Amino acid sequence: MAATRSLGLAFATCAFLPLVAVAQGQQFRTLAKRSHPNNSKEQTYNVRLGDVDGDGDLDVVLATVATQSRLYLNDGNGNLTDATSSLPQGSLSATDIELGDVDKDGDLDMVVGTMKQTTRLWLNDGKGRFSDGTFGRMPTHQDNTYDIVLADMDLDRDLDLVLANYRGQNRLYLNNGQGTFTDATSRLPVATAKTYYVAVGRVGPDPFVDILFANDGTQNRVLIHNFGARKFVDETATRFPADTWRSFGVHMADVDGDGDQDVLFANYQAANNLYLNDGTGKFTDASSRLPHNIDKSYRLEPLDVDEDGDLDLIVVNYFGQNQVWLNNGSGGFTDVTAARMPVGSDATTGLALGDLDQDGDDDLFLANFGATNQVLFNHHRQIYATGTPSIGQVYNLELDSRPGYAGPAQSALPFLNLQALVPKVDVPPFGRLGVHPLGIVLLPVVSVPAPGGQVTVPVMLPNDTRLRGLTLHSQALLLQLPPGWRFTNTHADVIQ
């Protein structure tokens, strides 16, 4: 490391120019240098993110139908490597995988929902290697399970399991605290529906967790937790508007900022629905506040896309344009897809949100059925370079700060080093530092133009052959108002 530092990269900064390419103005987009496996022919149905190997970044698990489910490990910068060999092998027709520490040993285990097979339990050894712990720990029902959720349903401080079953009884499995589940479906109402999705949360002001089921072509259901009676009671008739949509997704979120949980339904071949909570757990149809798009929606996830303090929505559609809807702060939404999302029409059935590149904003992983999965990186804060650094040549660093929607007074302090900081270090409130502070090269502070939110910083590399083969790490500190100074991701390239 000392020899590397002694090279003394005396970079000279050339004049910087604002980026002008319109296609690069979108907030979410793919990045060619960020690698992830391409399993384009697989039928990926759903995706989840979590730190399965304990290294501080988000890894990816994919539920695939008729083929082996997948595990991708993250290097901390958003590059994903196939580690599927660390999973139990075999085709399961998996429709969902939930991550959670079911046996309380400090790591994330996996529960796998399947079609016409027993729900699987895969236990983590703490290093991201999984063994099949299903036998003796999981009830043996073989259902058409389309979605599952892990949550503490009986308030005993462990993760229980709710299963959404298509053309069958939905189920509740209770955890004994050590990762062994017992069938407690008798606590649910007896019902057979085409249930696609399940969400849990507090519908009313009490502390108990309730259940929402999204159904295909029949009334969506709300089950209220009667803790004293140790059961869930169907109170749909007195709490929900009547509906018979083909609802493939349901989510709870406080979209109007009044402190209670509202409900969103993703509908197939119909407009999506928003039901507003009155604070007591009774809901009013406010779907007129959503864009009236008739799509084949599978998922509708809340995310503060523009960091203005309210929850916006990411909508994914089967063979349709995936969308971004911005919240006005009161639960009214505007479609801003054209400026924020790349054009596409994939068979997207699953969506996961998470900070894959550790720059403090959430990226999107799109699970596409029978097509290549996509990672759309959030350029709300981003540093990147499309070119390759070469000695004696100009290396262009591309900085994004609220691209296409930047406000005034945005600045950036880019910096470089031949050493990374591994693991990255949290520096509150700025975020995660990934470039080593010893030997760091600070470039001049640059102004980021509004509203474009993009600037190119050309860096002249020394004509020194000793630099060839070394990795150049770059990062920046961005001033965004609000919230203030924040770190971008870290970008790395090998010098040629």
Side-chain angles (χ1 to χ4, degrees), residues 119-141:
T119 299
R120 297 298 203 275
L121 173 61
W122 294 345
L123 299 175
N124 194 339
D125 68 354
K127 298 180 180 179
R129 296 186 297 260
F130 293 83
S131 59
D132 194 336
T134 305
F135 182 76
R137 288 178 176 263
M138 191 67 69
T140 59
H141 303 105

Side-chain angles (χ1 to χ4, degrees), residues 13-136:
T13 307
C14 303
F16 50 83
L17 300 172
L19 296 179
V20 296
V22 175
Q24 294 184 4
Q26 292 170 321
Q27 180 176 358
F28 297 97
R29 57 184 186 265
T30 59
L31 292 174
K33 288 185 181 179
R34 300 273 176 84
S35 61
H36 67 90
N38 179 6
N39 299 305
S40 61
K41 301 300 182 183
E42 293 185 347
Q43 297 174 329
T44 306
Y45 193 77
N46 217 337
V47 55
R48 303 294 181 188
L49 306 181
D51 183 10
V52 303
D53 55 358
D55 64 351
D57 54 45
L58 293 176
D59 308 303
V60 179
V61 290
L62 300 174
T64 60
V65 176
T67 56
Q68 170 70 47
S69 292
R70 298 282 175 185
L71 168 62
Y72 300 159
L73 295 182
N74 192 345
D75 69 350
N77 294 323
N79 298 297
L80 305 176
T81 302
D82 195 332
T84 302
S85 60
S86 295
L87 299 180
Q89 300 298 292
S91 299
L92 288 178
S93 289
T95 51
D96 193 16
I97 297 180
E98 278 288 300
L99 293 169
D101 186 7
V102 302
D103 53 2
K104 294 187 176 181
D105 64 350
D107 54 39
L108 293 178
D109 309 300
M110 297 187 192
V111 179
V112 186
T114 66
M115 297 175 65
K116 297 184 178 180
Q117 298 182 56
T118 300
T119 299
R120 297 298 203 275
L121 173 61
W122 294 345
L123 299 175
N124 194 339
D125 68 354
K127 298 180 180 179
R129 296 186 297 260
F130 293 83
S131 59
D132 194 336
T134 305
F135 182 76

Side-chain angles (χ1 to χ4, degrees), residues 3-4 6-8 391 418 462-470 495:
T4 300
S6 70
L7 292 174
I391 61 170
L418 294 175
N463 192 11
D464 189 332
T465 58
R466 294 176 298 170
L467 296 176
R468 284 195 176 121
L470 300 179
I495 300 174

Side-chain angles (χ1 to χ4, degrees), residues 326-451:
L326 286 190
N327 193 339
N328 65 4
S330 301
F333 292 84
T334 302
D335 189 339
V336 296
T337 302
R340 307 265 180 158
M341 187 80 78
V343 175
S345 183
D346 292 313
T348 306
T349 54
L351 168 66
L353 312 178
D355 187 6
L356 289 169
D357 55 1
Q358 300 190 20
D359 60 355
D361 52 41
D362 279 353
D363 310 300
L364 314 180
F365 195 108
L366 304 177
N368 294 324
F369 197 80
T372 302
N373 299 315
Q374 276 190 306
V375 184
L376 298 181
F377 287 97
N378 192 341
H379 284 242
H380 191 78
R381 281 182 291 275
Q382 190 74 209
I383 190 169
Y384 188 68
T386 55
T388 300
S390 299
I391 61 170
Q393 302 295 319
V394 173
Y395 176 55
N396 288 318
L397 289 173
E398 301 169 8
L399 285 171
D400 284 349
S401 179
R402 298 175 175 169
Y405 56 99
Q410 291 196 142
S411 301
L413 173 62
F415 47 91
L416 313 165
N417 204 340
L418 294 175
Q419 296 180 80
L421 199 55
V422 181
K424 295 179 181 179
V425 174
D426 286 319
V427 186
F430 306 107
R432 309 195 85 179
L433 179 63
V435 171
H436 205 290
L438 295 179
I440 199 169
V441 176
L442 298 177
L443 301 177
V445 174
V446 297
S447 177
V448 182

Side-chain angles (χ1 to χ4, degrees), residues 45 93 111 139 162 167 206 226 289 342 352 391 406 455 457:
Y45 193 77
S93 289
V111 179
V162 184
R167 295 185 187 275
D206 62 59
N226 186 326
R289 299 189 181 194
I391 61 170
V455 67
V457 181

